[in-house]
Every structure is written in structure tokens, then in C-alpha cells.
């Protein structure tokens, strides 16, 4: 009892072949889409790799790029086979390859599904990488004269302005590190000496933030320095002041940005997986309908198409039996050789 | 003497019609592209509407949009004519339309050329408009509590951050304007009172700039206040400090941006002009060749295609004569009616005069 048996006459076969050929070209474009999404994600990660300590995992974009390329190739080949299936003389040369090709397609679809799941899962390691990277990034904000870190200030400033965020979790993170370089501190001034003396590590800490934390929507000019001192600024209460600097932390902002990106890519890859499954089933129908012609000499005769020749259970037992036979066959050959060796 | 005559066999006519059909569809697509370019340019200009004083520069995207739409319609008609041109029963209905088609297509080409010229000519007006708009924006920066101006601060801040510019001509423009709202000034403090007294209009001026002027590429944390005082900051010299703030003025930045945008549409517009002119020439040849064949009533024979039936001078003379006749027609008619009414009066007078001898 075949799985999902469908009767086909000549017209139906032609229509099926045309539809599946059209869908295959659609699937080629879907493959290009997956490839370009992988490329885009890779570029986005590279752009901010400084903020992730340069040790972010490029596994996901690499897998997407690879899957996109394989999808293009597989779908182009499938489209060619569909096109030739309408002509019996051309189809003959593809016939022996079809079964292994279909098995390969099934495996490829499974891998695509795993890739889609990966998109949703890889969010978690990325979160940790971002947290670590931002913390270190803020520490190196002042090192604009250290080779290898001289662009950290610019990167952080641009990021805070673009993502509308300040600090790691909130703006107070800037109070805990020295973000003014020693080159611009007058060590003979009393105020500087007081500040440095007042903490254990000898760091110049201040209750101020860089300019990139400023919120343009604030009705008053930005207050960056002496933020916790209400008397330093007229009509200012730092507990109720909301619009002055960005309230959100940059870790949250970046995670939600990359998380949204990965969710979108995951959803698109799922859609592509479903398309691939549809074309694989279509090709299987074409293959089975062309190989079960009632009258093999007459290409216009009726035929039947199916997904599996026997039911799922029977197919499974068949596969297990085949595998056992193959392994037994191997054993028998070994014994025969050993027997020959001992005899000789 | 016919202008640029070419002999057309049946085969050549078919090729001409097919080629022209393809070319006119290409022109339709290019017309759509021009339309989209016009829409994009208009949207970009509208986005920065608040810092522009007048909307004169909007004539460039408006013309692009109109020409794009008109070109789509015109070239679609051309493709229909091409499709019907090889069928002797269907071509005659396009004859009258073609008379009007050529002037419309020529006007489109002229409009496109004018767009290219305008986009260069209006640069000065754009700069003027930006100068006034930015000056007002900087003046009203502090008015975040005045309805109608409360978003000026945010607009100017975002503009300066996005275009990496400061002030109108340079950052010193901020020294001449009070950009701190009086709501946040402590009028009892000595510093505030001194500053307000030290200028005629009673404004709180300072040698400082808003945070949006800060340059992220600077190696040191941004210095925004007491910029002219070298002693106020350690290791700082006002004259030689380059990276601290953006050195470019916003007027220059915006003008450069819009000029670049309009110049990048230049090659597209020029190629549309070329394609449109080729469509006009091809259509003229097709029209004359098909009309010649229809006159001969032999669909398989040869015919001549030409641009003008007589030479350029003769055609101009002909057009002049035709125009004069049309004008004279209107002049002759009134004279004829006047003449006839005079005659009627004369007759009436004669009739009145004549009965008296009888009675």
C-alpha cells in the first residue's frame, strides 16, 4: 500500500512537471536569499566585533552561507530534471541519479531545519559575548593612544548614538570606570588629586558621562558632568530627570537588535525549508509517476505517483533489512577471504 | 528633397517594429525609474523641510515625477503602435494619435534637459534657503517650551549628529546666539548676571556649543564649554584643536549632500533623453514606412521611410504657410461678415430709397 497514491494521466504529469519547475526556480531565488542573509549577518557581526572582544562566533552566518550555496545548486539541478522529465529521451539519462538525489534532498531539508533552529538558539551565547565585550570596551574608552584600541572611543560613541543607549546596563556604569585619559588630567590640580586619592585603585572617577549618552529630545541642554549633584545645576533633580541622557543600557539594546535580526532570519529559513520539502515531494511524484507507466512504450499512458512505494513502517523495515544485508555481505566477504587465506 | 530616406523591405519593417517595441518598453522602465528617483528626492527634501526657508528647489523633483509618469504613458502608447503597425487593419486608428504623440515626446525631452540645467542653476537658491532656515533653527534652539518651535532643538541636534556638522558656517555661530533656555538659568548667580549685562540685548551668550557638535573621532573627551579659554582645560589650545568639534558648517554639509544626490541622477536622466530620442526617430521611420506601404496596397513590397517629406527649409516654409492660413482664416471670416453686413445695410438703404418714386 503506497503512501499518498495519486493517479496521473499525461496532462496531469505535464502540469505537475511545469509547476514543480516553476517552484524550483523560486527555490533557487530562496537559496540566494539565504546566502545573502548569511552574508549580511556576517557583515553586521564584523562591524561590531570590537564591541564583542573579537571573539564572537561566526558559526551561524557561515552555515547560512553554505546552505544558501548548496540550495542554489540543488534546486538548479532539480529544475533541470523537471524540465527534462517532459521528454522521455532526455529523462532516461537522469533516471539512475534520481533516487540518490532525492535521498540527498531529504537530508538537506533536515539540515535546513536544524539551521533554522540554530538561528533561534544562538541568541544566548551572543548575549554573553556582548555583555563581556561591552564591559571591556568601556574600560578601553580612554585608551585612544594605545595601538589596537585607539578606535574604541569612536566605536562606543557611535554605537551609543546609533542605538540610543548609555553604558552597559545603565548610565551609572560610566561612574565606575575612568573614561578620561591621563594625558588630559592636570595632576597638579587639587581636584584631580582629591579624586585620585579618594579611591583604592588611584583612578580618576567622576559622576559624569560622555557626550554620546546625551538625549537630543531633552528640553534642556545636556548635563553631562556632576550628574548626582543637584545643586551644581539650576532647577535640576537627578532622581526625576528622565530625558537628559539615554536610560537604556547598551547590552539590552544590542541584544534586542541582534535577537530581532536572528529571529527574522530563522523565520525566513523555516519558510525556505517548507518550500524545499514541497519541491522534494513534487520531484518524488514526478519520478514515481514516470517509472510506473501502465504501458512503458507509450508515453501518453496513465500512471500512478506516490511518496513512498510501501507504507512508512514497511519502508523502515526494508531499510533496516538492507543495512543488515550490507553489513552481513561485508562479513561474508571477509570470512571468504580469511578462508581463502587459511586454505592457501 | 526627402530628409534621410531609407528603403524598407518587409523584413526590415518587421525588424524595425520589433526593435522599436523593445526600445519603447525599455523606455517605460526607465520612465518608472525616473519617477522613483523624483519621489526619493522629494522625500529627502521634505525630511529636512524644517531647516529650509523656501521650497523653490522642489521644482526639480516635481518635474522628475511628472516627466516619469508622462514618459511611462507615452512609451506605452508607442509600444501599442508598434504592435499594431504590421497589421494594416489596425494601424489606421493610431494615425491621428501619432500626430499628437510626436510633440508630446519632444516636450518630454525638453523638460528632461531643463531638469539637468535647473539642478545646477538652483544651487545658489538652495544655499540661501538653507542659510535662512538654519539661522532660524539655531535662534529657536532654546524655545523648547514654545508651541510650534518645541522640536527645533531635537531637529538641529539630530541634523548636526547625522551630517557631522556644527552651526551655520562653523561652530562659532553658537557663540552669537543664546541657546540655553532662560528656564534653566539661575538669575541670582553672579556669573549669569555678568554675562547678561555684558551685551546690549540682555542675552546669555557663552563660548560653548551643544553636545551634538562633538566629534566622536576626537582622542579626548569632548570639550563643549569655555572653548576660547586655553587655561580652562588642561593641555588645550583653542587655535590648534581640530578634532574636538565638527569643523564643517551645516549649510555646506546639506548643500553638498543635495547636490550629490541631484548629480547622481544626472546619468539616469541623460540616458532617458537618449532613449526617448531614439524612440521618436524610430517611430517616425515606422510611421512613414507603414503609411507608404498602405498607400501602395501591397503588404509585401518595399517602401520608403524618412524623417521629413521635404527638406528642413521647405518643411518650415510649409508650416509657416499653414499657420498663416489658419490665422488668415480667422481674419478673413470677420472681414467677410463685416462686408456682408455692410452690403445688407446698403441694400436696405436702397430698398427704402426706391419705393418713394413709385408712391
Amino acid at each position: 500500500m503506497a503512501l499518498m497514491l495519486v493517479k496521473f494521466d499525461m496532462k496531469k504529469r505535464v502540469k505537475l512537471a511545469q509547476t514543480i519547475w516553476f517552484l524550483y526556480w523560486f527555490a533557487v531565488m530562496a537559496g540566494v536569499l539565504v546566502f545573502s542573509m548569511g552574508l549580511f549577518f556576517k557583515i553586521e557581526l564584523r562591524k561590531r566585533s570590537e564591541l564583542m572582544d573579537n571573539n564572537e562566533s561566526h558559526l551561524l552566518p557561515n552555515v547560512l552561507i553554505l546552505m544558501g550555496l548548496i540550495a542554489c545548486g540543488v534546486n538548479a539541478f532539480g529544475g533541470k530534471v523537471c524540465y527534462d522529465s517532459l521528454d522521455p529521451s532526455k529523462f532516461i539519462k537522469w533516471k539512475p541519479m534520481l533516487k540518490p538525489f532525492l535521498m540527498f534532498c531529504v537530508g538537506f531539508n533536515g539540515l535546513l531545519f536544524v539551521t533554522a533552529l540554530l538561528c533561534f538558539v544562538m541568541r544566548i551565547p551572543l548575549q554573553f559575548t556582548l555583555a563581556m565585550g561591552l564591559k571591556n570596551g568601556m574600560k578601553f574608552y580612554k585608551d585612544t593612544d594605545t595601538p589596537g584600541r585607539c578606535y574604541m572611543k569612536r566605536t562606543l560613541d557611535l554605537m551609543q548614538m546609533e542605538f540610543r543607549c548609555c553604558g552597559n546596563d545603565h548610565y551609572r556604569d560610566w561612574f565606575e570606570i575612568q573614561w578620561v585619559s591621563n594625558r588630559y588630567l592636570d595632576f597638579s590640580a587639587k581636584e584631580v588629586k582629591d579624586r585620585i586619592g579618594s579611591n583604592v585603585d588611584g583612578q580618576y572617577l567622576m559622576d559624569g558621562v560622555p557626550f554620546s549618552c546625551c538625549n537630543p529630545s531633552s528640553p534642556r541642554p545636556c548635563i553631562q558632568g556632576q550628574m548626582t549633584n543637584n545643586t551644581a545645576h539650576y532647577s535640576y533633580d537627578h532622581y526625576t530627570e528622565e530625558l537628559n541622557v539615554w536610560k537604556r543600557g547598551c547590552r539590552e539594546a544590542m541584544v534586542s537588535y541582534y535577537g530581532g535580526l536572528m529571529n527574522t532570519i530563522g523565520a525566513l529559513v523555516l519558510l525556505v525549508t517548507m518550500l524545499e520539502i514541497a519541491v522534494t515531494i513534487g520531484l518524488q511524484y514526478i519520478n514515481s509517476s514516470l517509472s510506473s507507466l501502465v504501458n512503458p512504450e507509450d508515453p501518453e499512458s496513465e500512471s500512478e505517483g506516490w511518496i513512498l512505494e510501501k507504507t512508512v513502517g514497511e519502508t523502515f523495515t526494508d531499510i533496516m533489512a538492507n543495512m543488515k544485508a550490507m553489513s552481513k555481505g561485508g562479513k561474508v566477504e571477509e570470512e571468504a577471504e580469511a578462508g581463502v587465506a587459511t586454505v592457501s | 528633397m526627402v530628409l534621410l530616406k531609407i528603403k524598407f523591405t518587409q523584413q526590415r519593417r518587421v525588424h524595425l517594429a520589433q526593435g522599436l517595441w523593445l526600445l519603447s518598453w525599455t523606455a517605460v522602465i526607465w520612465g518608472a525609474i525616473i519617477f522613483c528617483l523624483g519621489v526619493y528626492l522629494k522625500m529627502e527634501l521634505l525630511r529636512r523641510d524644517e531647516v529650509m526657508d523656501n521650497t523653490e528647489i522642489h521644482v526639480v523633483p516635481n518635474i522628475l515625477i511628472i516627466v516619469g509618469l508622462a514618459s511611462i504613458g507615452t512609451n506605452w502608447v508607442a509600444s501599442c503602435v508598434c504592435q499594431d503597425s504590421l497589421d494594416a487593419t489596425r494601424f489606421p486608428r493610431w494615425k491621428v494619435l501619432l500626430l499628437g504623440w510626436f510633440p508630446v515626446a519632444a516636450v518630454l525631452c525638453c523638460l528632461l534637459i531643463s531638469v539637468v540645467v535647473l539642478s545646477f542653476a538652483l544651487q545658489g537658491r538652495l544655499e540661501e534657503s538653507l542659510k535662512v532656515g538654519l539661522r532660524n533653527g539655531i535662534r529657536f534652539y532654546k524655545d523648547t517650551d514654545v508651541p510650534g518651535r518645541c522640536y527645533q532643538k531635537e531637529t538641529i541636534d539630530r541634523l548636526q549628529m547625522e551630517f557631522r556638522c556644527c552651526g551655520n558656517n562653523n561652530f562659532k555661530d553658537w557663540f552669537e546666539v543664546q541657546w540655553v533656555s532662560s528656564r534653566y538659568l539661575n538669575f541670582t548667580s553672579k556669573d549669569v548676571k555678568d554675562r547678561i549685562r555684558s551685551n546690549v540685548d540682555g542675552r546669555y551668550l557663552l563660548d560653548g556649543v551643544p553636545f551634538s557638535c562633538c566629534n566622536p573621532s576626537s582622542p579626548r573627551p569632548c570639550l563643549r564649554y569655555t572653548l576660547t579659554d586655553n587655561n580652562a582645560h588642561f593641555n588645550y589650545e583653542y587655535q590648534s584643536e581640530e578634532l574636538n568639534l565638527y569643523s564643517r558648517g551645516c549649510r555646506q554639509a546639506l548643500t553638498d549632500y543635495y547636490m550629490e544626490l541631484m548629480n547622481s541622477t544626472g546619468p539616469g536622466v541623460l540616458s532617458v533623453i537618449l532613449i526617448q530620442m531614439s524612440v521618436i526617430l524610430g517611430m517616425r521611420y515606422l510611421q512613414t514606412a507603414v503609411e507608404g506601404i498602405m498607400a501602395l496596397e501591397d503588404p509585401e513590397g518595399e517602401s520608403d521611410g524618412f524623417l521629413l517629406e521635404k527638406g528642413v527649409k521647405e518643411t518650415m516654409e510649409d508650416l509657416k504657410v499653414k499657420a498663416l492660413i489658419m490665422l488668415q482664416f480667422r481674419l478673413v471670416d470677420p472681414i467677410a461678415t463685416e462686408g456682408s453686413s455692410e452690403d445688407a445695410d446698403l441694400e436696405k438703404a436702397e430698398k427704402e430709397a426706391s419705393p418713394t418714386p413709385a408712391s
Side-chain angles (χ1 to χ4, degrees), chain B residues 177-180 185 191-192 195-196 199 202-206:
Chain B
V177 160
Q178 176 180 352
W179 55 272
V180 183
L185 290 174
D191 167 62
V192 175
R195 279 192 192 273
I196 288 183
N199 77 78
R203 284 182 296 169
Y204 181 79
L205 303 179
L206 49 124

Side-chain angles (χ1 to χ4, degrees), chain A residues 144 153-154 157-158 161 164 179-180 183-186 211 214-222 224 234-235, chain B residues 144 153-154 157-158 161 179-180 183-186 211 214 216-222 224-225 234-235:
Chain A
T144 45
K153 177 182 178 293
R154 192 175 77 151
D157 279 334
L158 288 174
M161 290 200 286
R164 308 184 185 200
W179 53 272
V180 184
R183 285 176 291 155
Y184 308 114
L185 292 173
D186 181 8
F211 77 93
C214 289
N215 184 354
S217 309
S218 165
R220 94 183 277 169
C222 187
Q224 288 172 249
Y234 183 67
S235 178
Chain B
T144 46
K153 177 183 179 293
E154 192 176 341
D157 278 335
R158 286 203 198 281
M161 289 201 286
W179 55 272
V180 183
R183 283 176 293 156
Y184 309 115
L185 290 174
N186 183 5
F211 76 93
C214 287
S217 309
S218 162
R220 96 182 275 171
C222 186
R224 293 203 277 137
Y225 295 109
F234 183 66
N235 195 8

Side-chain angles (χ1 to χ4, degrees), chain A residues 13-283:
Chain A
R13 274 202 301 275
V14 168
K15 215 164 183 185
L16 176 71
Q18 283 173 338
T19 314
I20 299 294
W21 177 80
F22 182 69
L23 277 180
Y24 259 118
W25 280 113
F26 222 47
V28 169
M29 290 198 285
V32 170
L33 182 72
V34 170
F35 171 79
S36 50
M37 282 194 299
L39 205 64
F40 172 68
F41 193 58
K42 197 170 176 86
I43 292 173
E44 279 292 306
L45 282 178
R46 268 272 159 82
K47 248 173 37 175
R48 305 186 203 280
S49 69
E50 253 187 324
L51 297 166
M52 298 193 242
D53 261 348
N54 289 330
N55 65 3
E56 74 275 11
S57 159
H58 278 257
L59 173 71
L60 181 61
N62 290 342
V63 166
L64 281 172
I65 289 172
L66 186 69
M67 289 307 216
L69 287 173
I70 296 179
C72 283
V74 161
N75 294 324
F77 180 73
K80 178 94 177 85
V81 170
C82 277
Y83 190 71
D84 285 348
S85 71
L86 295 167
D87 185 355
S89 53
K90 285 195 198 162
F91 188 68
I92 294 290
K93 60 176 177 175
W94 296 122
K95 244 194 118 39
M97 296 191 226
L98 262 186
K99 190 136 190 224
F101 175 67
L102 280 165
M103 308 283 279
F104 176 72
C105 279
V106 171
F108 175 68
N109 292 343
L111 280 176
L112 258 182
F113 184 69
V114 167
T115 310
L117 286 179
L118 206 68
C119 287
F120 296 112
V121 161
M122 288 295 276
R123 206 182 153 142
I124 300 168
L126 190 70
Q127 230 162 312
F128 287 115
T129 319
L130 274 169
M132 210 76 251
L134 278 170
K135 222 177 193 158
N136 292 338
M138 281 169 60
K139 260 194 285 173
F140 304 143
Y141 184 86
K142 65 184 189 333
D143 296 333
T144 45
D145 51 352
T146 313
R149 293 190 207 146
C150 46
Y151 285 117
M152 185 54 89
K153 177 182 178 293
R154 192 175 77 151
T155 310
L156 265 178
D157 279 334
L158 288 174
M159 183 203 53
Q160 290 192 146
M161 290 200 286
E162 188 184 330
F163 285 90
R164 308 184 185 200
C165 59
C166 188
N168 208 343
D169 293 315
H170 48 69
Y171 65 89
R172 278 175 226 270
D173 295 328
W174 288 107
F175 298 175
E176 297 159 14
I177 58 159
Q178 176 180 350
W179 53 272
V180 184
S181 175
N182 286 339
R183 285 176 291 155
Y184 308 114
L185 292 173
D186 181 8
F187 286 98
S188 53
K190 184 181 177 304
E191 188 237 341
V192 176
K193 281 195 274 201
D194 278 345
R195 280 195 191 267
I196 289 184
S198 75
N199 80 80
V200 188
D201 307 310
Q203 282 191 314
Y204 181 81
L205 302 179
M206 42 188 265
D207 53 348
V209 294
F211 77 93
S212 43
C213 282
C214 289
N215 184 354
S217 309
S218 165
R220 94 183 277 169
C222 187
I223 295 172
Q224 288 172 249
Q226 298 180 293
M227 288 174 76
T228 50
N229 184 359
N230 284 352
T231 51
H233 314 279
Y234 183 67
S235 178
Y236 172 70
D237 181 2
H238 86 271
Y239 290 112
T240 54
E241 194 67 46
E242 281 187 344
L243 284 175
N244 189 35
V245 292
W246 300 118
K247 284 254 169 284
R248 198 161 66 148
C250 286
R251 181 164 54 95
E252 188 197 322
M254 296 266 276
V255 161
S256 78
Y257 171 70
Y258 278 110
L261 201 60
M262 287 160 89
N263 284 349
T264 315
I265 294 180
L268 281 172
V269 174
L270 270 177
L271 285 175
V272 171
T273 311
M274 290 200 281
L275 179 67
E276 289 285 334
I277 292 175
V279 291
T280 308
I281 292 177
L283 190 64

